[in-house]
Amino acid sequence: MRHPQTKKANSQEISSKWLDVSVPIYAGMVHFPDNPPIEIDTITHVERGDVCTLSALRIGTHTGTHIDAPIHFLPGGTGAEEVPLVNLVGPARVIEIKDSDAVKAEELRVHNLGVRERLLFKTSNSERCWETSEFVHDFISIAEDAASYLASLNTLAVGIDYLSAGSPETHRALLNAGVVIIEGLNLKGISQGRYELLCLPLKILGGDGAPARVLLKPLG
Amino acid sequence: MRHPQTKKANSQEISSKWLDVSVPIYAGMVHFPDNPPIEIDTITHVERGDVCTLSALRIGTHTGTHIDAPIHFLPGGTGAEEVPLVNLVGPARVIEIKDSDAVKAEELRVHNLGVRERLLFKTSNSERCWETSEFVHDFISIAEDAASYLASLNTLAVGIDYLSAGSPETHRALLNAGVVIIEGLNLKGISQGRYELLCLPLKILGGDGAPARVLLKPLG
């Protein structure tokens, strides 16, 4: 009943079209300090003679690649189920950040950002932060002046390539303006340019965040 | 800093394009018997004076809307991270099942199924099973003759509108043939027809299943 040739074709097809920029979820993986550790327990397993394999996940709402919902930082804010998916599905730009300190408004201005763009920032985080399961403290995040600038442009979504977009003020500026924050991307090997973005977070009712799967397809 | 009009526009945009067929995830929601209960613990909350809201999820790999990976039923099978996404992203058909007992090969044959289709079965489950957080035992699932038929067509993906595709034999026939199984869809209000399918499961390393967000957009 196996069809290895069909499976091979599928795998080539996906690799030539969609690029997976999500980090894998596994027990003991890196997490933001004070967030719960990631634990996966096997309940039953076909290789132990059970009829099927089942497991239980114990994870935080901000595990790996995920989105932040307004309630993460804003009293009275909405939960993950109300995050508008149109902000997360559609054309997007990957922008390579040269600054080794932070994503700053000054650097963003040279990219002629329009209103209502989906923007993913590729920093040196993608090369240096995901290689270890220890939390990397000196990661690059979004400066408050950049967050205000992105908010003023009604940016649809902002992605960053490690586990936080930045300070509480950065988060509040973005979330207050309806900018959806995507954190925990791995953009290693992804060139600056235009892509079709698919970012689908779990529909967690009232969730302050939600793990997501994120794919990119190069445009033209 | 709030832009209610922009937010309203987003919401209309998404509702006119993408239909969300994922069930919400919440503490105490229905789960398949012997799977872990769904628990969500608030760790910190902005409305209690904390700097941000954080929570911990305790869920099964087969919670709500999810995919099954081959290792769920096949010794030596692959995990969720290797499920080919091309099977889960692309044109799909929603087929309304009239049979009140099971999805059977005889009924499927009248729909002139082609090879390598993505097929979502809308049964009476969508109307009657999701209204309660009690597990509904007499749900409609895929009969073994239908699973063999779908396997023979190299079907890319099969979706069902409650928490199991069917018996172990049904699962094994589908998974052995490389058919990706999507379970826990809510197809209430979705008409039979052609759609663009986006189904993105979490990338759980070695996961026997993975919760997913699933959207449909009507085609033509």
Side-chain angles (χ1 to χ4, degrees):
Chain A
M1 294 288 281
R2 287 177 181 266
H3 300 278
Q5 288 179 326
T6 304
K7 283 187 181 173
K8 187 139 179 275
N10 287 352
S11 159
Q12 287 167 344
E13 214 172 321
I14 186 74
S15 68
S16 68
K17 287 167 63 181
W18 290 105
L19 305 163
D20 191 351
V21 293
S22 328
V23 300
I25 297 173
Y26 57 95
M29 70 183 280
V30 66
H31 58 84
F32 200 80
D34 299 327
N35 277 235
I38 287 79
E39 299 173 342
I40 304 182
D41 296 322
T42 302
I43 300 169
T44 57
H45 202 294
V46 283
E47 291 168 11
R48 295 194 315 220
D50 297 312
V51 69
C52 68
T53 308
L54 280 180
S55 36
L57 301 179
R58 300 171 67 160
I59 63 175
T61 37
H62 299 263
T63 293
T65 307
H66 68 277
I67 59 111
D68 285 356
I71 189 60
H72 185 39
F73 273 96
L74 308 180
T78 50
E81 81 283 9
E82 291 193 44
V83 166
L85 295 169
V86 71
N87 291 41
L88 296 172
V89 175
R93 268 210 275 176
V94 172
I95 291 178
E96 280 188 35
I97 298 297
K98 309 291 184 199
D99 198 308
S100 60
D101 178 42
V103 181
K104 296 175 187 161
E106 183 182 8
E107 182 171 359
L108 292 183
R109 284 201 173 83
V110 306
H111 290 281
N112 300 311
L113 305 184
V115 296
R116 295 176 63 75
E117 286 204 68
R118 299 174 191 88
L119 301 168
L120 309 182
F121 301 128
K122 181 188 179 182
T123 74
S124 63
N125 296 342
S126 285
E127 281 289 344
R128 72 191 175 89
C129 294
W130 294 116
E131 299 295 316
T132 168
S133 56
E134 298 294 309
F135 184 75
V136 175
H137 287 269
D138 66 341
F139 66 95
I140 294 177
S141 64
I142 302 171
E144 292 160 25
D145 72 338
S148 299
Y149 178 52
L150 294 163
S152 74
L153 290 171
N154 290 339
T155 302
L156 292 175
V158 160
I160 190 77
D161 53 357
Y162 202 50
L163 289 165
S164 174
S167 70
E169 289 71 22
T170 284
H171 279 87
R172 285 192 281 259
L174 294 170
L175 295 171
N176 256 321
V179 184
V180 182
I181 300 172
I182 311 170
E183 295 172 338
L185 296 169
N186 186 347
L187 297 172
K188 186 173 174 176
I190 305 293
S191 308
Q192 179 166 296
R194 292 181 185 276
Y195 295 84
E196 183 74 14
L197 168 71
L198 297 185
C199 170
L200 296 193
L202 293 188
K203 188 175 176 176
I204 302 172
L205 223 57
D208 46 83
R213 189 70 175 269
V214 185
L215 309 183
L216 292 177
K217 183 163 68 175
L219 286 178
Chain B
M1 295 285 281
R2 286 179 182 268
H3 300 277
Q5 285 178 328
T6 305
K7 283 186 183 172
K8 187 141 180 276
N10 287 352
S11 160
Q12 287 166 340
E13 215 171 319
I14 187 74
S15 66
S16 66
K17 286 167 65 181
W18 290 105
L19 305 164
D20 192 351
V21 291
S22 328
V23 301
I25 296 172
Y26 58 94
M29 69 185 278
V30 65
H31 59 86
F32 199 80
D34 300 328
N35 278 233
I38 287 80
E39 301 174 341
I40 304 182
D41 296 323
T42 302
I43 300 169
T44 59
H45 203 293
V46 285
E47 290 167 13
R48 294 194 314 219
D50 297 311
V51 69
C52 68
T53 308
L54 278 180
S55 36
L57 302 179
R58 298 172 70 158
I59 63 176
T61 37
H62 299 264
T63 292
T65 308
H66 68 276
I67 60 111
D68 285 355
I71 189 62
H72 186 38
F73 272 96
L74 307 180
T78 50
E81 81 282 10
E82 292 192 44
V83 166
L85 294 168
V86 71
N87 291 42
L88 296 172
V89 175
R93 268 211 274 176
V94 171
I95 290 177
E96 279 188 37
I97 298 297
K98 310 290 184 201
D99 199 306
S100 60
D101 177 40
V103 181
K104 295 175 187 159
E106 183 183 6
E107 181 170 0
L108 292 184
R109 284 202 175 83
V110 305
H111 290 281
N112 300 311
L113 305 185
V115 296
R116 295 175 63 74
E117 286 205 69
R118 298 175 191 87
L119 302 168
L120 309 181
F121 301 128
K122 181 186 179 183
T123 75
S124 64
N125 296 341
S126 286
E127 281 290 344
R128 72 192 176 90
C129 294
W130 295 115
E131 300 296 314
T132 169
S133 55
E134 298 294 309
F135 183 75
V136 176
H137 287 268
D138 65 340
F139 65 96
I140 294 177
S141 63
I142 302 170
E144 291 160 25
D145 71 339
S148 299
Y149 178 52
L150 294 163
S152 75
L153 291 170
N154 291 338
T155 302
L156 292 175
V158 160
I160 190 77
D161 53 357
Y162 202 49
L163 288 164
S164 173
S167 69
E169 288 69 24
T170 284
H171 279 87
R172 285 191 281 259
L174 294 171
L175 295 171
N176 256 320
V179 183
V180 182
I181 299 171
I182 310 171
E183 293 172 341
L185 296 169
N186 186 345
L187 297 171
K188 186 173 173 176
I190 305 291
S191 308
Q192 177 165 296
R194 292 181 185 274
Y195 295 84
E196 182 73 13
L197 168 70
L198 298 184
C199 170
L200 297 192
L202 294 188
K203 188 177 175 173
I204 302 172
L205 223 56
D208 46 84
R213 188 71 175 268
V214 185
L215 309 182
L216 291 177
K217 184 163 67 174
L219 285 178

